[in-house]
Amino acid sequence: MGLRIGIDCDGVLRDLTGNIANHISENHPEHKDKLLTPNSWNWNDWIPFWSEDESEQYIFEDNYIDIFGIDCPPIKSSVEDWKKLKRWAEDEGHELVLVSAQREQTKEITDEWLDYYGFDFKEKHYTHQKWSVDVDILIDDSPKKLGIFKKKSINNGMPIVFKQTWNTKSQKSKMTIDRLSDIIGRVFG
């Protein structure tokens, strides 16, 4: 019997932080040079010129269609790896399951984005409680969500870090991959 492999969207499939930075740079050029390299999902750590509330409003209220929509680029390696990963999972009897912490207003646009870029999951879970989803492995970029998954997973699942600038500490304590296809050799090699 195969494994159920949970895959996050933002930071694994969709380059959300890159798109946020580009959107701010294009629409607020006065802040372009003030943006920092993302080192967490805490907006104030890399968008220092706005309060947390101002960043939330900009990203999730005023501009969410542009930021989360089809103009948001995918993570290039994830697009390159998707067909290979999907074929491998089917051949080995594994299931690829989307497990993403989307807000209510971004769920439909995320479905459209996934379809547009060919990430054709048969099963999707939009929840901030990723640990509660029936998956054996969770590939995610969020240190916080991976830590909670490791402690509380209903399947005693294995967290796998998708390498990003904001999860360097997690990379030292958990299995880490640079691209989706790495799980084929790292987990199942």
Side-chain angles (χ1 to χ4, degrees):
M1 185 164 151
L3 296 175
R4 291 172 50 82
I5 302 168
I7 301 174
D8 180 33
C9 183
D10 297 322
V12 177
L13 304 176
R14 179 166 54 191
D15 187 11
L16 185 66
T17 57
N19 200 42
I20 291 169
N22 288 339
H23 196 276
I24 292 171
S25 295
E26 289 171 12
N27 293 284
H28 295 279
E30 71 276 14
H31 294 311
K32 182 178 182 175
D33 295 333
K34 299 174 195 169
L35 285 164
L36 303 174
T37 300
N39 61 5
S40 77
W41 275 108
N42 184 0
W43 308 126
N44 289 3
D45 289 345
W46 59 282
I47 309 174
F49 41 86
W50 289 335
S51 69
E52 187 78 13
D53 289 342
E54 290 170 321
S55 295
E56 288 277 319
Q57 181 169 340
Y58 185 86
I59 296 164
F60 294 103
E61 295 176 32
D62 299 343
N63 299 287
Y64 76 92
I65 292 173
D66 293 336
I67 290 174
F68 288 84
I70 60 172
D71 290 337
C72 182
I75 305 253
K76 187 178 177 192
S77 66
S78 295
V79 172
E80 294 168 354
D81 288 358
W82 183 251
K83 287 183 180 174
K84 177 182 179 181
L85 183 67
K86 189 175 169 191
R87 185 173 42 254
W88 165 81
E90 289 172 358
D91 290 349
E92 298 297 323
H94 303 307
E95 296 174 64
L96 303 178
V97 178
L98 180 77
V99 183
S100 183
Q102 297 299 315
R103 297 180 188 196
E104 195 58 42
Q105 73 271 30
T106 62
K107 290 177 183 178
E108 184 177 328
I109 203 165
T110 295
D111 284 339
E112 293 168 5
W113 186 93
L114 291 164
D115 291 343
Y116 184 83
Y117 286 101
F119 295 110
D120 51 343
F121 290 93
K122 293 179 183 167
E123 185 178 338
K124 298 175 189 170
H125 296 270
Y126 292 124
T127 179
H128 290 270
Q129 296 177 333
K130 295 181 179 188
W131 57 268
S132 68
V133 179
D134 179 19
V135 292
D136 301 294
I137 292 170
L138 177 64
I139 300 169
D140 205 308
D141 62 297
S142 168
K144 182 177 180 180
K145 291 187 177 71
L146 288 164
I148 293 169
F149 182 81
K150 184 175 183 173
K151 291 177 185 167
K152 295 175 77 172
S153 168
I154 62 170
N155 282 352
N156 198 25
M158 175 176 26
I160 297 179
V161 178
F162 191 88
K163 189 176 186 179
Q164 292 290 2
T165 57
W166 50 87
N167 59 29
T168 54
K169 197 180 270 187
S170 293
Q171 294 170 30
K172 296 174 185 172
S173 63
K174 295 175 184 67
M175 182 180 290
T176 301
I177 59 173
D178 292 309
R179 56 187 306 144
L180 285 176
S181 62
D182 288 350
I183 66 164
I184 295 170
R186 295 285 311 275
V187 177
F188 304 96

